[in-house]
Amino acid sequence: MPGALIVYVSVSHANTAKIARFLGDVLHADVREPELVDPATLPDYSIVGFGSGIFGGTHHPRLRSYVEHLPDM
């Protein structure tokens, strides 16, 4: 069973990608953008984290859309 997964969106200066990769190294986690994560695989992980920069007071639309369309588990 995979341990951890970090799903992230990083734009412009790629700072969020740097943080996601750093956390992935520390946690030995898989680190992927939402389009590369099949929602059916999420229950295989013991923990899943989501992150992006904040745009207009909320997470990036790509990440929000991914999370909003996840099936009930």
Side-chain angles (χ1 to χ4, degrees), residues 55-72:
F55 301 87
T58 189
H59 291 88
H60 192 277
R62 282 175 45 214
L63 186 65
R64 284 195 336 266
S65 178
Y66 179 80
V67 170
E68 289 168 358
H69 291 95
L70 288 175
D72 291 335

Side-chain angles (χ1 to χ4, degrees), residues 6-21 31-37 49-55 58-67:
I6 298 171
V7 181
Y8 76 97
V9 173
S10 184
V11 296
S12 65
H13 302 293
N15 290 326
T16 302
K18 292 174 191 172
I19 293 168
R21 286 191 294 268
V31 179
R32 297 197 180 105
E33 294 191 46
E35 297 81 8
L36 302 177
V37 180
F50 298 92
S52 77
I54 301 299
F55 301 87
T58 189
H59 291 88
H60 192 277
R62 282 175 45 214
L63 186 65
R64 284 195 336 266
S65 178
Y66 179 80
V67 170

